[in-house]
Amino acid sequence: MADELTPETPDEAEEPIKQRKNGLYPGVSDELAENMKSGWADTELTGLTPIPQAAETAARRAALSARFPGERLVIPAGNLKTRSNDTEYSFRAATEYAYLTGDQTHDGVLVLEPTADGHQATIYLLPRSNRENGEFWLDGMGELWVGRRHSLAEAEQLLGIPAKDVRELADALKEATGPVRVVRGHDAGIEAALTDKVTAERDEELRVFLSEARLVKDAFEVAELEKACAATARGFEDVVKVLDKAEATSERYIEGTFFLRARVEGNDVGYGSICAAGPHACTLHWVRNDGAVRPGDLLLLDAGVETTELYTADVTRTLPINGRYTDIQRKIYDAVYQAQEAGIAAVKPGAAYRDFHDAAQRVLAEKLVEWGLVEGPVDRVLELGLQRRWTLHGTGHMLGMDVHDCAAARTEAYVDATLEPGMCLTVEPGLYFQADDLTVPEEYRGIGVRIEDDILVTEDGNRNLSDQLPRRSDEVEAWMAALKG
C-alpha cells in the first residue's frame, strides 16, 4: 500500500502526512507545486439522472418535516474510523442518513431548516478536491489518493437536494438559533457544534421517529429486500458447492465464499456471517469461524447479502455437511421446521407481532415434552419458560437497512403492535443442545439447528422473500445433491 507522499528527509518523516494540508508539505518544490495545479481535464458530469429512490427519499423527508415543524433537524452520515495508523475501516453510512438521502458518502450531513411551510432540506458534502492549493494530491483524503467524488452540482442532480460544502456547516450550526435536534453517535464534530442547543431527550425522539418510520417498507425497499434475498440464496449455493474445500480448511472457507458473493452482487455482508459447524452451531453469534468442518456434522450458516443500497437479507439454513442428515439430526431439524411453519403461518396483517414467536415456541415446547426432555404439560412449560434452555432466543425481528431494523422503536410500536402490510421480519426458531448439557441424552449434545427466512407481510397474509432456498429436510438433501453434481 503506497504512502501518500514519501518524505525526503528524516525530519519530514516525523510529521504525519495527513496533517500536511494546503500545499504546505516542506519537501515539495515550487516548480512541482505549480506543475500539479494545471493540465487537468474538466471532468464535471452533466445530464445526470436522479437516483432510483429519489422520490421515496423525498417522501421520507416530507414525513420527517411534518413530525417536527419549526425545528432544525440534523442527520449526519458519520465519519471514517481509523483501523490502524493511517488506514480506515470501510465506511458504511448511518442508516438514518442513507434512508433520508440515498447518499452514502462519509462526512455528509442532511439538514432540514424550518420554513413557513415546512422545511428546506440541504445536504452538506465534501466538494471536489482543490487543485489550486494542493489538497488534491497532498491531503491523504485528496481525490488522487481515495478517488473522485461527486461535485456539489452533481450531487444536487443525483439526490434532488441542494448541496453545500460540509466544511462550513459546523460554524453555521454554532450560530443557529431556535430548536434543534440531531441524530447522535455518528459525527462528534457536528454534535460539538450543537452542544448547547440540543438535549438527549429531544434527540432521542428524533431517532425513535426515524426508526419507526422504517417499520413499513415502501415499494423500493421491498424490491431491495427481494434482491438481497436472491443474492443470498446464490451465496448459499456457492457454499454448498465448495463444502469439500471447507472440510480441508475451516469455517473460514465458508465465510470467504459467501463474502465473495456479497461483494460481487452487493455492498457487503449485512452482518458478520455465522458459519458454525458441529457444536459451534450452539453458539448463537459464532463469528470466529475458525473451526473444523467435518463430514457427519451439521453446518449452521446464518448470512445475508447487503445490497448496494444497504438493505440486507438475514437467512439461516442448517445443512448436513456430507449431504445427509443422521436420524437424530433429522429429528431435531424437522421439529424446528415444524415450528417455523407455525411461525410463518401466524404472520399476517392484524396479527399481534408476538403471535409468530408464540406459535413457534409452542411447537418446540411440545417436542421437548414429547421427547421427555422437560416435564409437561406444554402450557406449564410455556408459562415457566422452561423450553428456553434449548430455544434460547426470540423467534424473529424486523428487517431492512439494518439486520435488526427499527431497533429504537418504542415497545408499543414494535413488539406490542400489530402487523401491517409492508412490514418485513424474520422467522427463525431454533433448538440448541450444548455439548456439555448433561440434562439431555448424549446423542443430542452438540447439535444446533436454526431455520430462518425473511417474511413480508402482505394484504392477504405473507410472502417468503427467501423461498429460493429449500427448508424441508428431504428437499435440502436433494438440493445439496444436485449442486454437488
Side-chain angles (χ1 to χ4, degrees):
M1 183 177 183
D3 273 344
E4 282 86 348
L5 190 64
T6 302
E8 295 186 1
T9 70
D11 290 342
E12 293 168 17
E14 295 175 2
E15 184 183 8
I17 291 168
K18 289 188 179 179
Q19 295 178 8
R20 305 172 192 143
K21 300 180 184 297
N22 302 322
L24 301 179
Y25 187 82
V28 174
S29 67
D30 292 342
E31 289 79 3
L32 177 57
E34 190 64 29
N35 177 276
M36 290 296 287
K37 291 181 181 180
S38 60
W40 305 103
D42 180 8
T43 60
E44 184 74 8
L45 304 176
T46 59
L48 297 174
T49 57
I51 58 175
Q53 70 270 42
E56 284 82 4
T57 55
R60 297 166 194 166
R61 293 192 299 274
L64 176 61
S65 173
R67 171 62 180 81
F68 299 104
E71 304 185 48
R72 181 176 284 102
L73 309 173
V74 182
I75 302 95
N79 314 126
L80 293 171
K81 299 291 191 298
T82 299
R83 183 182 188 274
S84 175
N85 193 19
D86 60 349
T87 61
E88 290 82 23
Y89 287 104
S90 296
F91 179 73
R92 200 274 195 184
T95 292
E96 297 88 351
Y97 174 86
Y99 176 75
L100 292 167
T101 67
D103 181 58
Q104 297 181 34
T105 55
H106 63 82
D107 298 321
V109 183
L110 173 69
V111 178
L112 271 62
E113 298 278 354
T115 64
D117 56 354
H119 286 85
Q120 171 61 55
T122 303
I123 193 164
Y124 290 83
L125 303 166
L126 287 171
R128 297 290 309 278
S129 292
N130 189 317
R131 298 186 191 235
E132 283 295 313
N133 67 11
E135 175 192 7
F136 165 71
W137 65 293
L138 292 174
D139 187 339
M141 286 292 109
E143 290 179 294
L144 181 67
W145 295 104
V146 299
R148 185 187 189 277
R149 51 183 174 253
H150 286 299
S151 70
L152 298 181
E154 292 168 356
E156 289 187 1
Q157 295 178 65
L158 290 166
L159 304 175
I161 312 172
K164 294 183 179 180
D165 189 338
V166 72
R167 294 172 296 189
E168 302 169 359
L169 179 58
D171 288 341
L173 290 176
K174 290 176 183 177
E175 303 301 320
T177 59
V180 184
R181 298 178 192 257
V182 63
V183 176
R184 300 190 180 202
H186 301 300
D187 193 318
I190 293 299
E191 290 179 37
L194 294 169
T195 297
D196 59 348
K197 304 176 190 298
V198 296
T199 67
E201 294 78 11
R202 286 165 49 76
D203 292 346
E204 181 64 10
E205 289 177 356
L206 172 59
R207 188 173 79 103
V208 167
F209 174 81
L210 290 173
S211 191
E212 292 179 5
R214 302 198 307 275
L215 283 166
V216 175
K217 271 58 181 178
D218 58 37
F220 177 85
E221 294 179 290
V222 171
E224 285 296 307
L225 288 167
E226 290 172 333
K227 189 186 303 181
C229 287
T232 297
R234 288 188 283 274
F236 274 66
E237 292 174 353
D238 296 339
V239 167
V240 171
K241 292 175 182 177
V242 300
L243 279 177
D244 58 334
K245 295 183 174 65
E247 290 173 22
T249 53
S250 75
E251 295 162 338
R252 292 204 171 167
Y253 202 97
I254 294 167
E255 179 183 358
T257 298
F258 187 85
F259 179 70
L260 176 60
R261 178 65 64 175
R263 288 294 283 165
V264 168
E265 294 201 22
N267 176 61
D268 205 330
V269 289
Y271 53 95
S273 299
I274 298 168
C275 307
H280 289 163
C282 299
T283 301
L284 295 184
H285 292 164
W286 177 260
V287 292
R288 297 182 209 169
N289 298 335
D290 59 359
V293 180
R294 301 184 181 90
D297 282 349
L298 296 176
L299 167 68
L300 190 156
L301 178 58
D302 184 337
V305 171
E306 178 185 72
T307 69
T308 55
E309 303 302 333
L310 308 186
Y311 289 82
T312 186
D314 181 6
V315 178
T316 306
R317 292 294 183 269
T318 305
L319 311 173
I321 292 169
N322 64 5
R324 298 286 296 179
Y325 296 100
T326 66
D327 289 345
I328 185 63
Q329 290 169 351
R330 190 184 304 275
K331 173 182 174 180
I332 296 169
Y333 184 96
D334 288 349
V336 174
Y337 170 75
Q338 291 172 35
Q340 194 201 27
E341 284 281 273
I344 292 174
V347 175
K348 54 190 173 184
Y353 173 83
R354 296 179 188 269
D355 285 354
F356 76 95
H357 170 74
D358 293 341
Q361 288 288 296
R362 176 166 287 277
V363 171
L364 295 177
E366 289 170 350
K367 294 296 181 181
L368 292 168
V369 171
E370 176 187 324
W371 299 340
L373 302 184
V374 64
E375 182 181 349
V378 170
D379 286 340
R380 168 185 170 273
V381 173
L382 293 169
E383 181 181 355
L384 299 176
L386 301 179
Q387 82 286 357
R388 294 178 60 184
R389 181 182 177 103
W390 302 286
T391 64
L392 296 182
H393 55 78
T395 308
H397 51 80
M398 291 295 180
L399 184 68
M401 294 187 80
D402 293 330
V403 65
H404 295 150
D405 208 26
C406 313
R410 296 165 298 161
T411 299
E412 58 267 32
Y414 190 161
V415 296
D416 284 346
T418 57
L419 298 178
E420 300 177 39
M423 290 181 170
C424 187
L425 51 93
T426 67
V427 178
E428 50 177 308
L431 282 174
Y432 311 91
F433 298 101
Q434 306 299 322
D436 58 352
D437 187 349
L438 301 181
T439 70
V440 300
E442 186 175 358
E443 63 178 350
Y444 287 77
R445 297 174 199 166
I447 295 178
V449 174
R450 180 165 66 253
I451 312 171
E452 177 181 18
D453 285 273
D454 302 341
I455 310 299
L456 176 70
V457 183
T458 61
E459 295 288 346
D460 57 356
N462 69 66
R463 179 158 62 91
N464 186 344
L465 301 183
S466 49
D467 65 357
Q468 303 95 325
L469 291 172
R471 293 184 296 123
R472 214 173 63 201
S473 57
D474 59 335
E475 293 175 344
V476 169
E477 290 174 333
W479 169 73
M480 293 183 69
L483 289 172
K484 290 184 174 183

